[in-house]
Amino acid sequence: MQNRRFYRLDEIHDVTPITKGDLLAAVEEGQLSLCAWVDEKSMGAMLAAKEGHRAALANLFAYKGVIGLTQDQSIACIHSKTAPIRHAQILEPDHVSHWREVKNDFPDAENGPFARVSSLPQRPTAPFMAYGAIGTKATYGQEARLLAQAGPEEWNRQGFSGLWDALAKTGRALEAKPLAIDTDQLRFDLQAVNAAFDLRPEGETGRSISVPDMSKIETNPFKIMIRKVLVGDRDADALKVWYAVRRDHENNAHQIDEDGIISEINRDDIKWFGRGDKMRRLSYKTFCNYVSAVRKTL
């Protein structure tokens, strides 16, 4: 079998000693998230939202590759024939093509739900968050709003017929539309499976042959998050891992903090919800120690 990172769900027993039932149970129990293969022409790069603001949109692009799903999205996908996915992580940036500005496709569209629409000079080279599909929808009353702002003099000049025409005119506004993910598009990340089940790849085939020891599954939520980052970038230092967790929180992506336990994160510490919703604090120094400990297990 070809040595790959992403496999169809039915291939799980071909590359690991676990069964498809084990895989799905791990997803349902929150120990593992799935991926999905997509072929889309108009996805939208997501910009980090500033505090108190709506999310922002960068460039549009075409993508034929694998996206990472959150825990909730993964569960929805295995329990439904088709599940709507509004945002996901682009796991194979080198498969991105046709990187373009939004105005190239929608020159006259309003921003709609986005706080701002910007343009990045080049496509990202590392995994990034994206909206499933970007399109437009009809809007009503834009001409009327402009007329209302113009004041009484302009109202008198336009008259009733002018106001009526303004109300009748439609415009277009940007819209983030969900992707429809079918069950046959689902994939699992072999690296993530190895980490979740404490499997050790052996040989050039990447086949995981050790029997999973469920007693060794990590329960510390931050070590679990750190492992997810290091699996994708083993050489990442503690500060880089910290900012990856912070970006995941600020983007409300829940790819790393799947359970949403983080309440606030800054440069010095993390406030998070422990058992019973008790607010707890994790210092950056302790986080660095966790990174060192997790790295030794990889």
Side-chain angles (χ1 to χ4, degrees):
M1 176 175 289
Q2 184 181 6
N3 187 17
R4 292 176 272 134
R5 176 180 172 185
F6 303 105
Y7 293 83
R8 293 174 175 82
L9 303 193
D10 290 337
E11 296 178 295
I12 184 66
H13 198 53
D14 295 332
V15 292
T16 75
I18 68 175
T19 66
K20 184 177 179 180
D22 295 330
L23 176 71
L24 297 180
V27 172
E28 291 175 330
E29 294 168 5
Q31 299 172 4
L32 183 70
S33 293
L34 295 176
C35 309
W37 185 89
V38 300
D39 183 0
E40 297 295 330
K41 306 302 182 186
S42 186
M43 298 187 75
M46 182 185 296
L47 291 175
K50 295 182 179 179
E51 187 174 354
H53 291 77
R54 296 168 294 166
L57 173 67
N59 301 60
L60 303 181
F61 60 93
Y63 183 61
K64 191 173 184 179
V66 176
I67 58 174
L69 305 177
T70 66
Q71 178 183 328
D72 289 342
Q73 290 171 339
S74 299
I75 293 174
C77 285
I78 64 175
H79 288 167
S80 304
K81 185 176 181 181
T82 302
I85 303 299
R86 295 189 174 277
H87 57 79
Q89 186 177 37
I90 302 300
L91 296 178
E92 300 177 293
D94 54 321
H95 291 189
V96 169
S97 63
H98 199 196
W99 185 260
R100 60 201 188 273
E101 294 185 12
V102 174
K103 64 181 181 182
N104 288 358
D105 289 25
F106 311 112
D108 301 319
E110 301 173 42
N111 288 0
F114 305 110
R116 69 185 192 281
V117 177
S118 304
S119 178
L120 300 177
Q122 58 186 9
R123 71 184 188 189
T125 57
F128 63 97
M129 293 301 299
Y131 297 101
I134 300 298
T136 61
K137 63 179 180 180
T139 59
Y140 299 88
Q142 175 65 10
E143 291 289 334
R145 288 195 293 271
L146 294 175
L147 182 58
Q149 295 171 4
E153 184 176 339
E154 182 64 17
W155 303 344
N156 293 332
R157 192 179 71 83
Q158 292 284 348
F160 179 79
S161 61
L163 177 59
W164 180 259
D165 290 341
L167 288 170
K169 288 183 179 179
T170 62
R172 305 296 300 181
L174 295 172
E175 179 183 26
K177 302 178 180 180
L179 301 178
I181 301 298
D182 297 330
T183 52
D184 61 357
Q185 293 175 254
L186 294 178
R187 302 289 189 270
F188 67 86
D189 182 345
L190 183 58
Q191 295 177 2
V193 169
N194 286 339
F197 287 91
D198 194 24
L199 304 177
R200 297 180 297 277
E202 297 183 10
E204 294 182 355
T205 63
R207 184 181 297 269
S208 300
I209 61 175
S210 61
V211 177
D213 183 356
M214 300 303 288
S215 67
K216 293 183 179 180
I217 292 179
E218 181 60 66
T219 58
N220 183 298
F222 287 97
K223 288 186 178 180
I224 293 173
M225 296 181 205
I226 290 167
R227 178 180 287 272
K228 291 176 184 177
V229 178
L230 292 181
V231 163
D233 185 358
R234 196 177 189 282
D235 297 325
D237 58 23
L239 183 60
K240 187 174 182 180
V241 178
W242 178 275
Y243 276 106
V245 174
R246 182 173 180 175
R247 182 174 59 186
D248 178 83
H249 171 69
E250 291 176 344
N251 289 346
N252 199 29
H254 297 306
Q255 284 290 128
I256 300 174
D257 176 19
E258 294 186 356
D259 295 326
I261 66 171
I262 295 176
S263 171
E264 182 181 340
I265 178 170
N266 53 43
R267 296 176 58 184
D268 302 313
D269 56 30
I270 297 174
K271 293 180 180 178
W272 61 286
F273 295 104
R275 292 187 179 276
D277 287 338
K278 181 180 179 180
M279 186 62 69
R280 304 183 66 179
R281 175 181 171 274
L282 176 73
S283 69
Y284 178 69
K285 181 178 180 180
T286 301
F287 184 89
C288 291
N289 292 337
Y290 284 169
V291 173
S292 298
V294 173
R295 196 189 308 279
K296 292 177 182 178
T297 68
L298 298 178

